Structure formats: structure tokens, C-alpha cells
């Protein structure tokens, strides 16, 4: 028959092993949460970068359109479909002579 000391030793050993196993599981859970957090942060940064690039592209396009309109206006190549008004095409600046 096992002595009381042997039983106490085995019980203590089992409790120690359970504590080690619990610590391992908690460490793995923390690592998983850290990985999920890092993945979410990466996704957020990717979305922010895409938004920034889209806004920058729209600004560059708008600036290029404005520059093209300025060149057309300067060279007198403005068409009737242009939405901006030119001082050269404005009848109030160049009134026709009255006869």
C-alpha cells in the first residue's frame, strides 16, 4: 500500500504538471492573439495606404486636367465644350463693335 507521503508527492507532482500545461496553453493563446492583432494592424495599414494612393491619384488627375485647360486657354485652343470661361471668349471683355 502506498504511503501518505507517496500520495502527497504524486498529488503535488500532478498539480505542478497541470500548472506547466496551463502556462503553455496560455502562452499559445497570447501568441495567437498577438498574431491576430498584427494581422489586423497590417490590414488596417494596407487599407489606409490604398485610400491615400487613391486620393493622391485623384489630385494628380485634377491638377493635370487644370494644366491642360491652362495650356489650351493660353494657346487659344479652347473648345466650346470646356466648362471653364476664358477672358478671351467672354463677350463682355471683347464687345462687338456697334454699327
Amino acid at each position: 500500500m502506498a504511503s501518505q507521503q507517496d500520495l502527497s508527492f504524486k498529488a503535488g507532482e500532478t498539480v505542478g504538471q497541470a500548472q506547466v500545461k496551463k502556462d503553455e496553453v496560455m502562452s499559445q493563446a497570447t501568441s495567437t492573439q498577438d498574431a491576430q492583432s498584427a494581422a489586423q494592424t497590417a490590414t488596417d495599414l494596407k487599407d489606409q495606404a490604398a485610400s491615400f494612393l487613391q486620393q493622391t491619384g485623384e489630385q494628380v488627375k485634377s491638377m493635370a486636367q487644370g494644366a491642360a485647360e491652362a495650356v489650351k486657354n493660353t494657346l487659344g485652343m479652347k473648345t466650346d465644350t470646356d466648362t471653364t470661361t476664358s477672358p478671351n471668349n467672354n463677350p463682355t471683355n471683347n464687345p462687338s463693335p456697334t454699327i
Side-chain angles (χ1 to χ4, degrees):
M1 185 169 168
S3 71
Q4 191 173 8
Q5 265 185 333
D6 288 342
L7 291 176
S8 293
F9 176 78
K10 287 182 181 180
E13 188 175 50
T14 303
V15 168
Q17 290 173 350
Q19 180 67 37
V20 169
K21 187 67 174 174
K22 181 193 102 176
D23 291 344
E24 288 175 2
V25 169
M26 292 300 289
S27 177
Q28 289 174 351
T30 300
S31 295
T32 301
Q33 289 173 346
D34 289 345
Q36 289 172 342
S37 177
Q40 183 62 43
T41 300
T43 301
D44 291 346
L45 289 174
K46 181 188 74 148
D47 292 344
Q48 289 175 0
S51 176
F52 173 77
L53 290 174
Q54 181 179 3
Q55 290 174 354
T56 302
E58 290 171 0
Q59 289 174 348
V60 169
K61 180 181 174 184
S62 177
M63 290 169 50
Q65 287 173 338
E69 290 299 318
V71 169
K72 286 180 190 178
N73 191 25
T74 300
L75 299 176
M77 297 172 52
K78 190 173 172 107
T79 62
D80 291 337
T81 58
D82 290 339
T83 57
T84 58
T85 59
S86 166
N88 296 334
N89 294 336
N90 190 342
T92 59
N93 289 341
N94 297 322
S96 58
T98 55
I99 302 177

